[in-house]
Amino acid sequence: MNIDIPQPILPHSDGRDQEERERKVAEAICERFPTVQVTDDLEALERLIDDDVPALGRFAAVWRDRPSLVAVRARARFHTDELGRLLDQVREGQITVSAEVLSCARALALLIDSANVATMLIAPRDEEDHRALASFRRALLAQARRSRDGALRHQTDAICGGTLVAMSEQNLRPPRLPQASPEGLAAQPGEAAAYPLALAPSLQLWLETGIDPGDLLAGARALLAQVNSWRRVQQRLTDPGLLDAAIRGAMLFAYSWLARLVLWPAHDTDEVSIQRAALDLIAPRHRDPEHLRAAVEWAAARSGHGIGR
């Protein structure tokens, strides 16, 4: 799977007859397919939170019930295919470029990037997850080797766990990814799904609605402070492992919030400042696993980290 999804650069056409046909097609699609809630693989982690459970049990459950990487990679492949299909339709003149087409392309690219970052953050649960992660890491490493950017190579090495890990995974066979069928209409609220081009209005609405970066930063900061507190308690326990699952679940959740924050487009200088504050928050956290910080930094670089993306 090609994980290097550039921002689409599409040709321009102003044929009025074509635009009128596309408008009628869009209206017919809206009548056939209702608007659905779109959820990416990072936001979907919030479904694992049960606010009625005490914090320790709540975040231990996040770690225990983390999603399958095989399913995450299947959705990434589906959305990559859908984006390719959309761009092919433009190149072949079947549709013309419009704000709606660009919005749909950007939404699909964001779903792909969210799945890629989720793959970096979520620990594999079984052998097939390990194979899915190894396949993704090989693609990342190959991309970094083709780049002349030393910082990217270092970042990729951190994401992939270092040279020894890369060597140990080199000969693992690819995973058997399921065929992700269009699940957008059947998805439960807050559940990640596969969203076909037929749900373009929903994809556009999702992109336009955006996120609240201030809330995400505040939530991640509070959660990482809780991790620090649990670590201090952990040093005094006879069995320190009792807090491992809660700490790992809390870190997964906090870093997923920060990744979403820096991955989404910033619309003004205040949001750019919040994105930079997110990177500043994790920069000194050397006790956290290195691949978590590297994943958030990768997301920031992927998004362009600035206004007007």
Side-chain angles (χ1 to χ4, degrees):
M1 179 184 300
N2 180 14
I3 61 169
D4 185 14
I5 307 295
Q7 292 294 337
I9 301 175
L10 305 177
H12 177 70
S13 173
D14 56 359
R16 293 182 179 178
D17 292 341
Q18 179 73 5
E19 289 179 358
E20 179 62 18
R21 285 195 295 272
E22 290 174 10
R23 184 185 64 78
K24 291 180 179 179
V25 169
E27 289 176 352
I29 288 174
C30 289
E31 291 176 359
R32 182 179 176 189
F33 295 100
T35 301
V36 303
Q37 177 181 324
V38 175
T39 303
D40 62 61
D41 281 289
L42 292 172
E43 183 183 10
L45 291 173
E46 296 187 12
R47 294 191 82 220
L48 302 178
I49 288 292
D50 185 349
D51 291 329
D52 295 329
V53 175
L56 278 173
R58 186 187 315 156
F59 290 105
V62 169
W63 180 254
R64 182 188 66 242
D65 300 332
R66 61 194 185 276
S68 162
L69 291 182
V70 170
V72 173
R73 299 317 307 156
R75 285 189 288 270
R77 182 176 64 181
F78 178 88
H79 292 129
T80 298
D81 290 344
E82 289 296 279
L83 179 56
R85 191 158 68 90
L86 177 62
L87 297 181
D88 284 344
Q89 289 175 359
V90 172
R91 281 191 290 265
E92 294 169 4
Q94 297 176 20
I95 58 174
T96 57
V97 178
S98 64
E100 290 77 14
V101 170
L102 287 170
S103 180
C104 185
R106 291 182 180 122
L108 288 168
L110 185 55
L111 284 169
I112 296 163
D113 282 339
S114 297
N116 289 340
V117 177
T119 305
M120 300 174 193
L121 296 176
I122 299 169
R125 299 179 54 174
D126 53 31
E127 182 179 353
E128 280 301 295
D129 273 6
H130 276 286
R131 295 184 190 282
L133 179 58
S135 181
F136 175 75
R137 284 171 168 169
R138 284 196 294 270
L140 273 183
L141 289 167
Q143 183 183 51
R145 282 195 295 268
R146 294 192 299 267
S147 173
R148 297 181 179 180
D149 187 341
L152 174 62
R153 292 184 180 185
H154 176 76
Q155 184 182 81
T156 302
D157 191 56
I159 291 170
C160 296
T163 304
L164 291 177
V165 172
M167 291 176 62
S168 70
E169 295 178 342
Q170 192 61 40
N171 296 320
L172 285 180
R173 66 170 173 78
R176 292 189 292 270
L177 296 183
Q179 187 65 41
S181 58
E183 302 161 344
L185 291 172
Q188 297 298 315
E191 179 181 34
Y195 303 98
L197 291 178
L199 294 178
S202 296
L203 291 168
Q204 295 161 20
L205 179 61
W206 175 63
L207 194 65
E208 291 167 3
T209 303
I211 60 173
D212 188 326
D215 280 355
L216 290 175
L217 179 61
R221 180 179 284 119
L223 200 47
L224 290 175
Q226 180 66 74
V227 167
N228 294 343
S229 176
W230 284 339
R231 281 176 172 160
R232 289 191 293 270
V233 173
Q234 192 176 39
Q235 294 174 354
R236 302 193 297 269
L237 293 178
T238 305
D239 182 4
L242 290 173
L243 294 182
D244 278 351
I247 289 173
R248 290 177 178 179
M251 283 195 296
L252 170 60
F253 211 78
Y255 277 86
S256 72
W257 271 344
L258 295 172
R260 287 190 73 221
L261 193 167
V262 300
L263 194 57
W264 275 74
H267 297 101
D268 53 41
T269 54
D270 287 340
E271 291 190 0
V272 171
S273 296
I274 293 172
Q275 290 180 329
R276 290 173 180 157
L279 297 176
D280 291 341
L281 175 64
I282 61 176
R285 295 191 61 84
H286 300 297
R287 289 191 63 186
D288 295 350
E290 187 178 16
H291 76 278
L292 298 181
R293 297 197 310 275
V296 174
E297 291 166 356
W298 185 93
R302 183 70 188 151
S303 69
H305 191 54
I307 300 176
R309 294 196 295 275

mmCIF file of all heavy atoms in Angstrom, residues 16-46:
data_model
loop_
_atom_site.group_PDB
_atom_site.id
_atom_site.type_symbol
_atom_site.label_atom_id
_atom_site.label_comp_id
_atom_site.label_asym_id
_atom_site.label_seq_id
_atom_site.Cartn_x
_atom_site.Cartn_y
_atom_site.Cartn_z
ATOM 1 N N ARG A 16 -19.977 24.546 -18.116
ATOM 2 C CA ARG A 16 -21.237 24.728 -17.380
ATOM 3 C C ARG A 16 -22.137 23.502 -17.491
ATOM 4 O O ARG A 16 -22.813 23.131 -16.531
ATOM 5 C CB ARG A 16 -21.951 25.971 -17.902
ATOM 6 C CG ARG A 16 -21.199 27.261 -17.591
ATOM 7 C CD ARG A 16 -21.960 28.473 -18.094
ATOM 8 N NE ARG A 16 -21.249 29.707 -17.786
ATOM 9 C CZ ARG A 16 -21.687 30.912 -18.151
ATOM 10 N NH1 ARG A 16 -22.820 31.029 -18.829
ATOM 11 N NH2 ARG A 16 -20.981 31.986 -17.830
ATOM 12 N N ASP A 17 -22.192 22.879 -18.671
ATOM 13 C CA ASP A 17 -23.030 21.695 -18.833
ATOM 14 C C ASP A 17 -22.569 20.572 -17.918
ATOM 15 O O ASP A 17 -23.379 19.885 -17.287
ATOM 16 C CB ASP A 17 -22.996 21.221 -20.288
ATOM 17 C CG ASP A 17 -23.685 22.202 -21.220
ATOM 18 O OD1 ASP A 17 -24.472 23.025 -20.713
ATOM 19 O OD2 ASP A 17 -23.440 22.119 -22.437
ATOM 20 N N GLN A 18 -21.235 20.400 -17.843
ATOM 21 C CA GLN A 18 -20.682 19.354 -16.974
ATOM 22 C C GLN A 18 -21.006 19.651 -15.518
ATOM 23 O O GLN A 18 -21.378 18.746 -14.759
ATOM 24 C CB GLN A 18 -19.171 19.247 -17.181
ATOM 25 C CG GLN A 18 -18.479 18.218 -16.310
ATOM 26 C CD GLN A 18 -18.763 16.803 -16.735
ATOM 27 O OE1 GLN A 18 -19.414 16.577 -17.750
ATOM 28 N NE2 GLN A 18 -18.292 15.843 -15.951
ATOM 29 N N GLU A 19 -20.870 20.901 -15.110
ATOM 30 C CA GLU A 19 -21.165 21.272 -13.726
ATOM 31 C C GLU A 19 -22.635 21.014 -13.393
ATOM 32 O O GLU A 19 -22.967 20.579 -12.290
ATOM 33 C CB GLU A 19 -20.818 22.745 -13.496
ATOM 34 C CG GLU A 19 -19.319 23.025 -13.495
ATOM 35 C CD GLU A 19 -19.018 24.492 -13.283
ATOM 36 O OE1 GLU A 19 -19.988 25.281 -13.179
ATOM 37 O OE2 GLU A 19 -17.829 24.843 -13.235
ATOM 38 N N GLU A 20 -23.519 21.283 -14.355
ATOM 39 C CA GLU A 20 -24.941 21.060 -14.109
ATOM 40 C C GLU A 20 -25.225 19.565 -13.952
ATOM 41 O O GLU A 20 -26.003 19.156 -13.087
ATOM 42 C CB GLU A 20 -25.762 21.634 -15.266
ATOM 43 C CG GLU A 20 -27.268 21.429 -15.138
ATOM 44 C CD GLU A 20 -27.877 22.108 -13.924
ATOM 45 O OE1 GLU A 20 -27.223 23.020 -13.360
ATOM 46 O OE2 GLU A 20 -28.991 21.729 -13.530
ATOM 47 N N ARG A 21 -24.574 18.734 -14.789
ATOM 48 C CA ARG A 21 -24.750 17.291 -14.665
ATOM 49 C C ARG A 21 -24.247 16.804 -13.304
ATOM 50 O O ARG A 21 -24.879 15.972 -12.657
ATOM 51 C CB ARG A 21 -24.000 16.576 -15.791
ATOM 52 C CG ARG A 21 -24.685 16.675 -17.146
ATOM 53 C CD ARG A 21 -24.105 15.649 -18.110
ATOM 54 N NE ARG A 21 -22.709 15.920 -18.404
ATOM 55 C CZ ARG A 21 -22.285 16.709 -19.376
ATOM 56 N NH1 ARG A 21 -23.163 17.329 -20.164
ATOM 57 N NH2 ARG A 21 -20.985 16.879 -19.586
ATOM 58 N N GLU A 22 -23.090 17.333 -12.868
ATOM 59 C CA GLU A 22 -22.534 16.925 -11.581
ATOM 60 C C GLU A 22 -23.438 17.356 -10.434
ATOM 61 O O GLU A 22 -23.581 16.638 -9.444
ATOM 62 C CB GLU A 22 -21.131 17.515 -11.402
ATOM 63 C CG GLU A 22 -20.096 16.894 -12.326
ATOM 64 C CD GLU A 22 -18.765 17.588 -12.235
ATOM 65 O OE1 GLU A 22 -18.595 18.414 -11.324
ATOM 66 O OE2 GLU A 22 -17.899 17.316 -13.070
ATOM 67 N N ARG A 23 -24.047 18.541 -10.571
ATOM 68 C CA ARG A 23 -24.960 19.000 -9.518
ATOM 69 C C ARG A 23 -26.143 18.053 -9.385
ATOM 70 O O ARG A 23 -26.547 17.689 -8.274
ATOM 71 C CB ARG A 23 -25.461 20.416 -9.847
ATOM 72 C CG ARG A 23 -26.346 21.020 -8.744
ATOM 73 C CD ARG A 23 -26.913 22.356 -9.185
ATOM 74 N NE ARG A 23 -27.802 22.206 -10.328
ATOM 75 C CZ ARG A 23 -29.058 21.764 -10.244
ATOM 76 N NH1 ARG A 23 -29.572 21.438 -9.073
ATOM 77 N NH2 ARG A 23 -29.814 21.668 -11.326
ATOM 78 N N LYS A 24 -26.690 17.604 -10.515
ATOM 79 C CA LYS A 24 -27.820 16.691 -10.472
ATOM 80 C C LYS A 24 -27.416 15.336 -9.899
ATOM 81 O O LYS A 24 -28.184 14.716 -9.154
ATOM 82 C CB LYS A 24 -28.391 16.519 -11.881
ATOM 83 C CG LYS A 24 -29.077 17.784 -12.411
ATOM 84 C CD LYS A 24 -29.617 17.566 -13.819
ATOM 85 C CE LYS A 24 -30.330 18.827 -14.319
ATOM 86 N NZ LYS A 24 -30.846 18.664 -15.706
ATOM 87 N N VAL A 25 -26.211 14.874 -10.266
ATOM 88 C CA VAL A 25 -25.716 13.613 -9.709
ATOM 89 C C VAL A 25 -25.562 13.730 -8.199
ATOM 90 O O VAL A 25 -25.939 12.832 -7.444
ATOM 91 C CB VAL A 25 -24.374 13.215 -10.372
ATOM 92 C CG1 VAL A 25 -23.741 12.063 -9.608
ATOM 93 C CG2 VAL A 25 -24.599 12.830 -11.824
ATOM 94 N N ALA A 26 -24.988 14.873 -7.737
ATOM 95 C CA ALA A 26 -24.789 15.074 -6.300
ATOM 96 C C ALA A 26 -26.126 15.091 -5.570
ATOM 97 O O ALA A 26 -26.264 14.523 -4.482
ATOM 98 C CB ALA A 26 -24.033 16.385 -6.060
ATOM 99 N N GLU A 27 -27.141 15.731 -6.176
ATOM 100 C CA GLU A 27 -28.457 15.767 -5.543
ATOM 101 C C GLU A 27 -29.055 14.359 -5.458
ATOM 102 O O GLU A 27 -29.677 13.992 -4.463
ATOM 103 C CB GLU A 27 -29.376 16.693 -6.336
ATOM 104 C CG GLU A 27 -29.015 18.173 -6.198
ATOM 105 C CD GLU A 27 -29.886 19.056 -7.068
ATOM 106 O OE1 GLU A 27 -30.669 18.508 -7.887
ATOM 107 O OE2 GLU A 27 -29.793 20.293 -6.946
ATOM 108 N N ALA A 28 -28.855 13.581 -6.536
ATOM 109 C CA ALA A 28 -29.374 12.209 -6.524
ATOM 110 C C ALA A 28 -28.681 11.371 -5.455
ATOM 111 O O ALA A 28 -29.314 10.557 -4.770
ATOM 112 C CB ALA A 28 -29.178 11.575 -7.896
ATOM 113 N N ILE A 29 -27.370 11.559 -5.280
ATOM 114 C CA ILE A 29 -26.621 10.823 -4.259
ATOM 115 C C ILE A 29 -27.131 11.187 -2.865
ATOM 116 O O ILE A 29 -27.315 10.334 -2.006
ATOM 117 C CB ILE A 29 -25.114 11.115 -4.389
ATOM 118 C CG1 ILE A 29 -24.567 10.427 -5.642
ATOM 119 C CG2 ILE A 29 -24.349 10.639 -3.156
ATOM 120 C CD1 ILE A 29 -23.123 10.775 -5.939
ATOM 121 N N CYS A 30 -27.348 12.485 -2.648
ATOM 122 C CA CYS A 30 -27.834 12.929 -1.332
ATOM 123 C C CYS A 30 -29.206 12.330 -1.025
ATOM 124 O O CYS A 30 -29.508 12.038 0.131
ATOM 125 C CB CYS A 30 -27.891 14.454 -1.289
ATOM 126 S SG CYS A 30 -26.267 15.247 -1.248
ATOM 127 N N GLU A 31 -30.059 12.174 -2.077
ATOM 128 C CA GLU A 31 -31.367 11.580 -1.855
ATOM 129 C C GLU A 31 -31.246 10.094 -1.539
ATOM 130 O O GLU A 31 -32.014 9.547 -0.758
ATOM 131 C CB GLU A 31 -32.236 11.782 -3.102
ATOM 132 C CG GLU A 31 -32.631 13.241 -3.331
ATOM 133 C CD GLU A 31 -33.408 13.415 -4.613
ATOM 134 O OE1 GLU A 31 -33.624 12.406 -5.325
ATOM 135 O OE2 GLU A 31 -33.797 14.557 -4.921
ATOM 136 N N ARG A 32 -30.256 9.428 -2.158
ATOM 137 C CA ARG A 32 -30.112 7.984 -1.973
ATOM 138 C C ARG A 32 -29.379 7.640 -0.684
ATOM 139 O O ARG A 32 -29.714 6.676 -0.014
ATOM 140 C CB ARG A 32 -29.361 7.397 -3.172
ATOM 141 C CG ARG A 32 -29.191 5.890 -3.105
ATOM 142 C CD ARG A 32 -28.462 5.380 -4.327
ATOM 143 N NE ARG A 32 -28.203 3.952 -4.232
ATOM 144 C CZ ARG A 32 -27.438 3.270 -5.078
ATOM 145 N NH1 ARG A 32 -26.860 3.916 -6.087
ATOM 146 N NH2 ARG A 32 -27.247 1.985 -4.924
ATOM 147 N N PHE A 33 -28.366 8.443 -0.353
ATOM 148 C CA PHE A 33 -27.552 8.145 0.817
ATOM 149 C C PHE A 33 -27.708 9.266 1.847
ATOM 150 O O PHE A 33 -27.355 10.418 1.571
ATOM 151 C CB PHE A 33 -26.075 8.020 0.430
ATOM 152 C CG PHE A 33 -25.788 6.858 -0.479
ATOM 153 C CD1 PHE A 33 -25.645 7.048 -1.834
ATOM 154 C CD2 PHE A 33 -25.667 5.574 0.029
ATOM 155 C CE1 PHE A 33 -25.378 5.992 -2.685
ATOM 156 C CE2 PHE A 33 -25.413 4.503 -0.799
ATOM 157 C CZ PHE A 33 -25.270 4.709 -2.164
ATOM 158 N N PRO A 34 -28.226 8.953 3.031
ATOM 159 C CA PRO A 34 -28.350 9.989 4.063
ATOM 160 C C PRO A 34 -26.983 10.401 4.588
ATOM 161 O O PRO A 34 -25.991 9.699 4.408
ATOM 162 C CB PRO A 34 -29.164 9.279 5.156
ATOM 163 C CG PRO A 34 -28.834 7.823 4.976
ATOM 164 C CD PRO A 34 -28.677 7.627 3.501
ATOM 165 N N THR A 35 -26.932 11.552 5.216
ATOM 166 C CA THR A 35 -25.695 12.007 5.839
ATOM 167 C C THR A 35 -25.380 11.130 7.040
ATOM 168 O O THR A 35 -26.257 10.843 7.862
ATOM 169 C CB THR A 35 -25.828 13.478 6.284
ATOM 170 O OG1 THR A 35 -26.136 14.279 5.149
ATOM 171 C CG2 THR A 35 -24.515 13.966 6.904
ATOM 172 N N VAL A 36 -24.125 10.689 7.134
ATOM 173 C CA VAL A 36 -23.702 9.844 8.246
ATOM 174 C C VAL A 36 -22.569 10.521 8.993
ATOM 175 O O VAL A 36 -21.904 11.426 8.474
ATOM 176 C CB VAL A 36 -23.240 8.450 7.752
ATOM 177 C CG1 VAL A 36 -24.341 7.766 6.974
ATOM 178 C CG2 VAL A 36 -21.981 8.565 6.902
ATOM 179 N N GLN A 37 -22.362 10.089 10.214
ATOM 180 C CA GLN A 37 -21.242 10.592 11.008
ATOM 181 C C GLN A 37 -19.965 9.895 10.564
ATOM 182 O O GLN A 37 -19.883 8.675 10.550
ATOM 183 C CB GLN A 37 -21.485 10.335 12.496
ATOM 184 C CG GLN A 37 -20.319 10.766 13.385
ATOM 185 C CD GLN A 37 -20.578 10.464 14.847
ATOM 186 O OE1 GLN A 37 -21.711 10.576 15.314
ATOM 187 N NE2 GLN A 37 -19.545 10.077 15.571
ATOM 188 N N VAL A 38 -18.951 10.663 10.192
ATOM 189 C CA VAL A 38 -17.665 10.112 9.777
ATOM 190 C C VAL A 38 -16.720 10.131 10.978
ATOM 191 O O VAL A 38 -16.607 11.141 11.682
ATOM 192 C CB VAL A 38 -17.062 10.921 8.613
ATOM 193 C CG1 VAL A 38 -15.661 10.425 8.271
ATOM 194 C CG2 VAL A 38 -17.979 10.825 7.391
ATOM 195 N N THR A 39 -16.040 9.023 11.215
ATOM 196 C CA THR A 39 -15.114 8.895 12.342
ATOM 197 C C THR A 39 -13.813 8.282 11.844
ATOM 198 O O THR A 39 -13.837 7.232 11.197
ATOM 199 C CB THR A 39 -15.704 7.986 13.445
ATOM 200 O OG1 THR A 39 -16.963 8.521 13.868
ATOM 201 C CG2 THR A 39 -14.762 7.887 14.643
ATOM 202 N N ASP A 40 -12.693 8.943 12.129
ATOM 203 C CA ASP A 40 -11.399 8.382 11.725
ATOM 204 C C ASP A 40 -10.887 7.422 12.797
ATOM 205 O O ASP A 40 -11.471 7.291 13.871
ATOM 206 C CB ASP A 40 -10.385 9.501 11.440
ATOM 207 C CG ASP A 40 -10.079 10.355 12.658
ATOM 208 O OD1 ASP A 40 -9.575 9.800 13.664
ATOM 209 O OD2 ASP A 40 -10.311 11.577 12.615
ATOM 210 N N ASP A 41 -9.779 6.740 12.490
ATOM 211 C CA ASP A 41 -9.283 5.694 13.388
ATOM 212 C C ASP A 41 -8.692 6.238 14.678
ATOM 213 O O ASP A 41 -8.572 5.489 15.656
ATOM 214 C CB ASP A 41 -8.237 4.842 12.660
ATOM 215 C CG ASP A 41 -8.890 3.832 11.736
ATOM 216 O OD1 ASP A 41 -9.487 2.876 12.245
ATOM 217 O OD2 ASP A 41 -8.816 4.007 10.504
ATOM 218 N N LEU A 42 -8.311 7.500 14.728
ATOM 219 C CA LEU A 42 -7.829 8.090 15.974
ATOM 220 C C LEU A 42 -8.999 8.480 16.874
ATOM 221 O O LEU A 42 -9.007 8.188 18.065
ATOM 222 C CB LEU A 42 -6.949 9.300 15.682
ATOM 223 C CG LEU A 42 -5.611 9.007 15.009
ATOM 224 C CD1 LEU A 42 -4.922 10.306 14.587
ATOM 225 C CD2 LEU A 42 -4.696 8.208 15.934
ATOM 226 N N GLU A 43 -9.986 9.131 16.293
ATOM 227 C CA GLU A 43 -11.154 9.532 17.080
ATOM 228 C C GLU A 43 -11.902 8.312 17.604
ATOM 229 O O GLU A 43 -12.493 8.351 18.692
ATOM 230 C CB GLU A 43 -12.082 10.386 16.227
ATOM 231 C CG GLU A 43 -13.288 10.915 16.995
ATOM 232 C CD GLU A 43 -14.244 11.709 16.137
ATOM 233 O OE1 GLU A 43 -14.083 11.690 14.895
ATOM 234 O OE2 GLU A 43 -15.150 12.343 16.697
ATOM 235 N N ALA A 44 -11.867 7.212 16.851
ATOM 236 C CA ALA A 44 -12.619 6.015 17.245
ATOM 237 C C ALA A 44 -12.145 5.439 18.573
ATOM 238 O O ALA A 44 -12.892 4.709 19.234
ATOM 239 C CB ALA A 44 -12.500 4.947 16.153
ATOM 240 N N LEU A 45 -10.921 5.762 18.981
ATOM 241 C CA LEU A 45 -10.427 5.269 20.272
ATOM 242 C C LEU A 45 -11.293 5.770 21.431
ATOM 243 O O LEU A 45 -11.334 5.145 22.495
ATOM 244 C CB LEU A 45 -8.977 5.698 20.482
ATOM 245 C CG LEU A 45 -7.934 5.041 19.564
ATOM 246 C CD1 LEU A 45 -6.571 5.696 19.758
ATOM 247 C CD2 LEU A 45 -7.855 3.541 19.828
ATOM 248 N N GLU A 46 -11.985 6.878 21.230
ATOM 249 C CA GLU A 46 -12.812 7.433 22.298
ATOM 250 C C GLU A 46 -13.968 6.496 22.664
ATOM 251 O O GLU A 46 -14.527 6.596 23.766
ATOM 252 C CB GLU A 46 -13.328 8.812 21.903
ATOM 253 C CG GLU A 46 -12.210 9.839 21.735
ATOM 254 C CD GLU A 46 -12.734 11.243 21.507
ATOM 255 O OE1 GLU A 46 -13.948 11.470 21.703
ATOM 256 O OE2 GLU A 46 -11.927 12.109 21.136
#
